[in-house]
Structures are given as C-alpha cells and as structure tokens.
Amino acid sequence: MRANEYRLGFRGDIEGLRAVAIMLVLAAHAGASWFAGGFVGVDVFFVLSGYLITGLLVREVADTGRIRFADFYLRRLRRLMPALVVMVAISSTVAAVVLAPAEQLEQSSAAAMAVLWLSNIHFALAQLDYFAAGSDSNLFLHTWSLGVEEQFYLLWPALLVWVLGRDLGTPHVARLKLAMVVVATLSFISCLLLTPRFPQLAFYMMPMRAWQFAVGALVWLHCSRGTSAEGNPGAAESVVAIRRWTGWLGLLVILGSGVMFNASMSYPGWRALLPTAGAAAVLWAGLGEHRHGAPGLLAWWPLQAMGRVSYSWYLWHWPVLLLGLAITGSHSPWVRGAEILASLSLAVGSYRLVESPVRHQEYWLKHRRVALIAAVGAMLAASVLSMHWYTSALVRTQTPESQRYASARVDAPPIYAMGCDDWFHSDRVLMCTFGSKDAAHTTVLMGDSIAGQWFPALAGIFDRADWRVIVLTKSSCPMVDEPLFYARIGRDYTECSSWRRQALQQVAAIKPDVVVLGTVSTVAFTQPQWTDGTARVLSSISHAAGRIYILRSTPHLPFDGPNCLASHAGRPKWLGALQVCDAPAFDDHGQQVFEWLQQASARFANVRTIDLTDQICPQGRCRAELNGEVVFRDSQHLTASFARSLGPEMEKRMGLTDFAAPHAVNDAATLH
C-alpha cells in the first residue's frame, strides 16, 4: 500500500471536539446541574487520543518503515509534561498556604504520583471513588485521566510493532483492525465485569479504558484508504448525507450523555458506550472533503480556540475551583463562574508561555539523551519536592493547635471502635447493647451515621435504672424503604436494603419503649420516596414500639469543620479574613426533607419529629467551633463531645420527664 494512502489529515473539527469535551468537564465540575454527566468529556478525549496517536504511528511506519520509540516518547513528554509540572508546582504552593496540614498530606501524596503519571493507580488502589462525597477535595484528582493516557502512549507503539511483526515497511490495515477489535472486545468485557464489583479499577485503570482508545484507532484505520466514492457522484452525495446526519447524531449523543448521566449511576460500564460511540461518529463524519453539519460547526473559530488550550484548561480548572472554594468558602454560581474564567486565563498563559514554546522546541529531538534525562529528572524532582511537602505538612500536624483539631476529627461515638457498624461490607445485623440485658425498658437507636452520632446524648438521657440502649446503625444506609445507588461503592447498596429489613424485624420483636431514628438528607430520593419509604419503615415497627422519634438530619457544612479551623490557624491574617468557618444553618433541600419526614410521621400516632438545628447552629449559623468547643468532626457529623452536651435539650424535646429516676449505667456493652 502506498504511503500517501495513510496521509489522512488531522482536521480542524478535532479541536472543536476537544472544546466540547472540555466544556462538558468544566460544567460538571463547576456544579452545573444540567450537565451533571459532563465527566463523559474524558471519554471523548480517550477516543480522540486513540484516533490521533494511531494515525501518527501508522503514518510514521508508512513513511519510514519503523517506529522511533525515543522520538515518540520525547514528543509526548514535550507536549504534556512541562505544563503538568508547572500546574502541580503552583497548585501545591498555594495549597501549602491555604489548606490545613492534615489536608495537605493527601494532596502531597497525589501530587507526587501526578507528576509521574501514576495518579490513576494511586486513586484506584486508595479506593477513592471519583463520584463519592469527599473525593472532590483532592486537587489532583483530575490527573487520573492523564495517567491513563500516558500509560496508553507507553504501550500503544509496542502493540503496533508486535501486531505488524517484521512487516513494518508495509502496514497491514486489516491486521491492525483485527488487533484493535480484539483489544476493544477484551477491554470492554473487563470493564463491564469490573464496574459492578470493583468500580474504582474499572474507572481509573488503563486496561479497562483501552477499548475507548481502540475505538478511536478503528475509526482512523477504517478510513485510511479513503471513502470518497470518486467516480460515482450519486454515491458520493449519499455518503456526504450519511456523514452529515451521523455527525449530528454523534454530537447529540455526547451532549445527551452529559445531560442524562450523573454521579448516581454506575460508570463506566455499558453507559460509556454512548459518549464513546458519539465521539467516533463525529470523527467519522468529519472525514472527506465536505465539511457540513456537526464537523462544520466544530470548525467554528471560538471552538477551535478553546480546543487549542483544552489541555492546559483541563489542568488548571480543577485546582482553581477547589482552592477558590478553600479561600472564599462560596459555592455561588457567580464565584464558580469567576473561577472558571480565572482557570481559562491561567490556561492561556500556560499555553503561550509553557506548552506551546516547549512543544515547538526542536532541541528535544536533536539531543534526545539530554532531553530524556532532563524530562525524567524534572518529573522525579517534582515528585521528591511533593514528598518533602508531605513531610513538612506531617510536622505541622504535630503542633498543639493542629492536634486539638485532629482530636476533634476522631471524637466519634465508641460504637464504631466496638464494631457496631459494618458499613457496606455485609448485611449482618450487629446489635450493641449498653446497660443490663435484663433491663425492663429498652431504647433503640437506629439509622445511618447521622443516627450514630447521637449515641452520646442518648447514653446520657437513658442513664437510668432498668433501662438499656440498643444501637443498630449502618453507615450511609438511610431509614427509607427504597433501593439506593451508593456512589462510593459504584453500585446499588443491596447490603443496606437487606440489613434494614432484618434490623426492623428484630426491633419489632424486641418491642422497645423508645425508638430513635436518624438519616442523612440524601438527594438520592424523590418526595414520594421519602414520604412513602419512611412510612413503610415506621409501619413495620410502630405497632411494637412505645414511642418513635425521627431526628432531623444535621446541617451540612460546605467545608470540613476541623480542617477549616486548622487551615485558619496557619494562614496569614489577610487571607483568613476571606473565609470564616461558618455557614447558613438551613438549605432548601434539607428543609424539604424534614417536611416530608413530618408528613410521613403524621400517619402514626406514636411518631414525632425532633429538630435540634437551633441548638447546633444558633441564630441560623453553623459554626465549626462554638463557645470554645469544636462542633463538627467533618462536614456533617457532630463531635461526640458536642452531641453529649445536647443530651438535656434532646431529653426535654422528647418529653421524657415521666421516665424512671437516673441510675448509674453499666458502661459495659455486649455485641451480638
């Protein structure tokens, strides 16, 4: 086959597709609810990489009869490494000033892996779910996709050489196509199998994403001979029409995925087929001489401009959003918009001053050995500096003030140390009993970790003769009889449903005098699910219980309480004034959920709701520290000390003054 048959041009609409991908990612990360699935933009980037890199390598084989591995890797380093190192260095410097020492430990570890393009493996092994609450606090979480791409770049040339064997001078498209089909099939099957059970591996690891690169490669290989239907005007017109509609359909599928998908869905799995197929369709539609429809739109100059800086923009947008939140404490759309614009400014500066000049510097290829040593040395130096940052932050965590806030973080009820809560690991009902097992009266505390935080208060209230307290909790398991997709494990939380059913049966059998239920105000349920699902839980125990109390969920801070206090302790005074460690006590969703719980409670004569928000957050403001006492141990759980102090007020609102006189409670607990 002639070399010029492989000279498939890399067109302007590719930059436009990059622009679409980066805008989707930006929308999702900035909190735009209408594009909650904007993370699919990364899938588009993977398809583009497979398309472009396969084309570059096959064209090199056609032109020279070989693949110059050193040149290829140096070009990739020249293209990607400098801007990455600059972003990590500047972000780390700012983070060392504005973040708490305890927060900096994980940031520095991730930074050390990011500059080595290993952060995807770091996050996968740490079992950090991309969609889970808390994962969005890592400044370098977004570099996982760069790790996947670099690992693809490392292996792809060797794969092509292995497939072509000794025939490098004459690339066989059919053989390459077959190899890509095999890679795509095996990788996609492994992705499907791992997504339900090991979602972190399926999401972060390159082998489970290789099928998306292979799809891009197949688009290039399929079109390498050209499909212009020359000599047949009717056929050519038909091909143009098909491509036009295919391009629009592909673009619609990409955007539709961004609209329809969200963090409450298992991903990647089969759903990743949609943005992947959409990107492949747009690429195929842009082939040939006629640029109409979606490819013509993507060639629009503003999209071209955004596409050119898409790599730098991707690098900068995430740390700017997180550091902006750390400094201002604001989730305001206006603030988020300003942060996106700031990241664009940094991206343009990075593109013009770092990425573009280095990318076009031929010194790299003229002095390969020196360039390779310098590049690897820069990466290792950045990684070593990140570990030095880790050591410095670790030393700062040992100061008395940092230790005070660190102690607040672990100021949790003893039920967790005792193993009373099995989280998602099983559906076993672990019943912790405090007080005499032969006591005449029983109180049951049941729910998720929001219920568990109130154990110190209830232990004080029921420190009475002939009373025992039974604790039945399962973290992240709401007291709503509805199936729940749990983003942290990337699948339906079946253990929760099974545990809740068994636990309710046991509570009914105990016939307790008092049941206290607590649940986080999750956004996973609709109004009918909250009211009807809660009513089903209540109906299963109301006939057997004396009194049932439903506690309003704790207000949710937009920051981590101890970390905010610790970061303020080490900040310059001018910077500390930009953010205070308090927030409004009420939000619309939390208020709605409490009203729905009240509606469900009204169906039962022995059920009441209790709202202690005014005690947790006086004057409508939630403060991380109140009267010298740390209130929250994270962003929504109270410290055990503070919860204990609210026991008298809780008792008053429960109306329990007619119960037996206080008596020394048996501190021992039994676990069955």
Side-chain angles (χ1 to χ4, degrees):
M1 183 176 295
R2 299 188 310 274
N4 60 7
E5 290 179 303
Y6 291 94
R7 297 185 185 280
L8 185 62
F10 293 164
R11 306 103 43 189
D13 55 299
I14 288 179
E15 296 290 11
L17 193 54
R18 282 196 179 109
V20 170
I22 188 61
M23 286 192 293
L24 283 170
V25 173
L26 291 171
H29 287 172
S33 58
W34 57 89
F35 275 123
F39 51 82
V40 301
V42 174
D43 301 81
V44 175
F45 281 127
F46 289 163
V47 176
L48 278 169
S49 291
Y51 177 90
L52 294 171
I53 297 304
T54 301
L56 286 170
L57 291 172
V58 175
R59 292 201 314 176
E60 182 178 354
V61 169
D63 288 342
T64 67
R66 62 186 179 130
I67 293 177
R68 297 182 179 89
F69 284 83
D71 287 359
F72 174 79
Y73 294 136
L74 281 173
R75 282 195 295 267
R76 294 301 93 204
L77 286 172
R78 182 178 63 175
R79 168 77 172 87
L80 302 173
M81 186 268 290
L84 172 65
V85 171
V86 169
M87 180 277 293
V88 171
I90 294 177
S91 299
S92 299
T93 301
V94 177
V97 175
V98 304
L99 298 183
E103 287 181 292
Q104 294 175 36
L105 297 178
E106 173 55 27
Q107 306 291 356
S108 55
S109 298
M113 294 295 102
V115 293
L116 299 176
W117 283 301
L118 296 173
S119 60
N120 62 317
I121 298 174
H122 171 76
F123 293 128
L125 296 181
Q127 296 188 337
L128 181 65
D129 194 289
Y130 183 83
F131 306 106
S135 64
D136 58 359
S137 64
N138 195 295
L139 293 174
F140 308 107
L141 179 64
H142 65 313
T143 63
W144 75 270
S145 64
L146 306 182
V148 171
E149 292 221 16
E150 282 302 317
Q151 291 150 31
F152 156 71
Y153 296 147
L154 183 66
L155 298 179
W156 214 246
L159 175 63
L160 293 185
V161 170
W162 180 74
V163 170
L164 293 174
R166 296 183 178 180
D167 298 329
L168 281 178
T170 309
H172 293 288
V173 172
R175 189 185 300 176
L176 288 173
K177 284 182 181 179
L178 178 60
M180 294 303 105
V181 169
V182 171
V183 169
T185 301
L186 294 178
S187 174
F188 182 63
I189 290 174
S190 66
C191 180
L192 287 178
L193 294 176
L194 288 177
T195 296
R197 299 188 60 188
F198 304 100
Q200 289 83 13
L201 294 179
F203 189 89
Y204 288 120
M205 299 302 284
M206 190 275 289
M208 274 58 76
R209 294 293 194 148
W211 64 276
Q212 297 178 297
F213 297 102
V215 167
L218 284 169
V219 174
W220 196 94
L221 292 170
H222 174 70
C223 304
S224 60
R225 291 178 180 269
T227 55
S228 60
E230 294 179 3
N232 188 340
E237 185 177 344
S238 176
V239 169
V240 169
I242 292 173
R243 282 186 173 162
R244 179 185 298 115
W245 287 108
T246 300
W248 284 122
L249 179 61
L251 190 58
L252 181 63
V253 168
I254 294 171
L255 296 175
S257 299
V259 172
M260 295 184 299
F261 292 175
N262 57 58
S264 296
M265 295 179 175
S266 183
Y267 202 84
W270 65 266
R271 291 184 175 88
L273 275 173
L274 294 179
T276 302
V282 173
L283 286 173
W284 182 79
L287 299 169
E289 299 177 357
H290 301 278
R291 297 293 168 82
H292 302 292
L297 173 64
L298 295 176
W300 188 35
W301 72 264
L303 294 178
Q304 296 286 293
M306 283 189 285
R308 281 192 292 273
V309 300
S310 59
Y311 173 64
S312 288
W313 205 358
Y314 182 82
L315 287 178
W316 281 106
H317 82 282
W318 186 240
V320 168
L321 285 171
L322 294 191
L323 292 172
L325 177 62
I327 293 171
T328 67
S330 175
H331 286 277
S332 164
W334 294 103
V335 173
R336 303 295 264 183
E339 291 164 352
I340 290 295
L341 290 177
S343 69
L344 176 59
S345 299
L346 288 169
V348 172
S350 177
Y351 176 77
R352 291 184 176 178
L353 301 176
V354 179
E355 183 183 343
S356 187
V358 175
R359 182 179 182 182
H360 295 97
Q361 176 56 256
E362 293 301 323
Y363 181 90
W364 289 64
L365 299 181
K366 291 179 180 178
H367 305 83
R368 295 182 181 87
R369 182 172 298 179
V370 174
L372 183 60
I373 292 174
V376 173
M379 293 163 56
L380 292 176
S383 183
V384 169
L385 287 173
S386 296
M387 296 315 298
H388 176 70
W389 176 26
Y390 178 94
T391 303
S392 300
L394 187 61
V395 170
R396 291 175 59 197
T397 62
Q398 306 306 312
T399 63
E401 198 163 22
S402 293
Q403 285 293 300
R404 176 171 176 260
Y405 298 129
S407 298
R409 176 169 300 286
V410 296
D411 185 10
I415 58 176
Y416 297 104
M418 294 171 55
C420 304
D421 191 312
D422 210 20
W423 197 15
F424 67 89
H425 300 293
S426 78
D427 64 349
R428 292 180 301 166
V429 178
L430 302 175
M431 188 179 296
C432 281
T433 302
F434 296 82
S436 172
K437 295 199 300 186
D438 300 323
H441 303 287
T442 301
T443 293
V444 172
L445 173 63
M446 182 177 180
D448 56 15
S449 58
I450 293 298
Q453 73 179 347
W454 290 109
F455 170 75
L458 288 177
I461 293 172
F462 292 99
D463 184 5
R464 302 166 180 267
D466 294 329
W467 278 87
R468 63 176 177 169
V469 176
I470 295 177
V471 178
L472 285 165
T473 63
K474 191 168 195 64
S475 293
S476 304
C477 184
M479 291 299 97
V480 182
D481 186 16
E482 293 285 347
L484 174 70
F485 178 88
Y486 187 17
R488 189 159 187 172
I489 60 176
R491 58 175 173 81
D492 286 341
Y493 195 2
T494 54
E495 295 88 350
C496 169
S497 299
S498 177
W499 176 88
R500 185 173 53 234
R501 182 180 62 255
Q502 297 178 63
L504 289 171
Q505 291 172 353
Q506 294 194 29
V507 170
I510 293 171
K511 293 182 170 41
D513 299 89
V514 174
V515 176
V516 180
L517 302 177
T519 291
V520 69
S521 298
T522 176
V523 296
F525 301 133
T526 62
Q527 177 180 359
Q529 288 176 313
W530 270 109
T531 53
D532 296 340
T534 302
R536 284 192 291 272
V537 168
L538 295 173
S539 65
S540 65
I541 58 174
S542 61
H543 64 283
R547 308 180 188 182
I548 301 176
Y549 301 94
I550 300 180
L551 300 174
R552 179 170 182 163
S553 181
T554 314
H556 195 293
L557 299 176
F559 52 83
D560 182 286
N563 279 345
C564 183
L565 294 169
S567 63
H568 274 248
R571 285 184 184 180
K573 291 184 178 180
W574 66 268
L575 185 58
L578 292 177
Q579 181 197 1
V580 291
C581 296
D582 63 48
F586 301 98
D587 64 272
D588 292 341
H589 178 73
Q591 183 61 36
Q592 286 179 334
V593 169
F594 187 57
E595 291 173 358
W596 298 336
L597 292 176
Q598 289 176 316
Q599 293 171 15
S601 306
R603 305 180 189 180
F604 304 88
N606 61 338
V607 179
R608 291 173 54 185
T609 58
I610 296 179
D611 182 5
L612 289 167
T613 303
D614 62 326
Q615 299 297 306
I616 302 169
C617 306
Q619 291 85 47
R621 300 293 297 181
C622 294
R623 295 168 178 81
E625 188 171 16
L626 186 63
N627 299 325
E629 187 171 18
V630 180
V631 177
F632 293 86
R633 70 175 191 266
D634 48 32
S635 63
Q636 63 179 342
H637 295 95
L638 304 178
T639 61
S641 302
F642 187 76
R644 186 179 301 111
S645 71
L646 296 182
E649 184 63 30
M650 177 183 283
E651 179 179 6
K652 179 180 176 182
R653 299 191 184 191
M654 293 173 76
L656 300 178
T657 55
D658 57 328
F659 282 169
H663 179 71
V665 142
N666 179 7
D667 290 333
T670 56
L671 175 65
H672 357 254

